[in-house]
Amino acid sequence: MQQSPPPSKNKFRQYRIVGINLAVILVVLSAAAIVPRNGQALVIVPPWSEPGRVLNVIADAGGSVMNGTGAPYAAIAHSDEPGFAFRLFKSGAMLVLDGSLAFFCRSTPSL
């Protein structure tokens, strides 16, 4: 006859399952919040890239630069063509986020 595991092991297993489910929910909700919408995207290339690389990536993907971010490796881009985010990745972008998240890249002057 097979014995059931002690109650403390069962509790740990239940907590682990709940934790994994919460992590998956968090990842899915985060992904939905940061996916580029309305053709506007925050494009980030590796920081060690040569200056102007982000502009080349946006141009190669068929987009236009809307605004800078204060960082030489990030810019806000726009394109009305479908698949813009995919083309940005294909052109060399390290990360493509929703354009409304650009305020994270803005540098503020120190007081």
Side-chain angles (χ1 to χ4, degrees):
M1 186 170 182
Q2 189 178 12
Q3 291 183 349
S4 63
S8 63
K9 253 191 175 177
N10 280 338
K11 262 201 183 301
F12 175 71
R13 180 177 288 162
Q14 289 173 349
Y15 287 139
R16 188 174 61 187
I17 290 171
V18 169
I20 290 171
N21 283 320
L22 289 175
V24 168
I25 289 169
L26 180 65
V27 167
V28 169
L29 289 176
S30 297
I34 62 176
V35 171
R37 294 182 292 268
N38 302 327
Q40 186 176 347
L42 171 61
V43 183
I44 301 173
V45 297
W48 53 86
S49 298
E50 66 274 358
R53 174 72 180 134
V54 70
L55 302 177
N56 294 337
V57 167
I58 293 168
D60 291 346
S64 58
V65 177
M66 289 181 62
N67 202 354
T69 61
Y73 53 84
I76 302 170
H78 181 268
S79 174
D80 289 328
E81 298 294 320
F84 183 48
F86 176 73
R87 289 193 315 274
L88 286 167
F89 280 120
K90 196 173 176 184
S91 297
M94 182 174 79
L95 189 60
V96 178
L97 303 172
D98 184 42
S100 64
L101 298 173
F103 66 89
F104 286 121
C105 298
R106 298 238 183 245
S107 59
T108 57
S110 57
L111 299 174

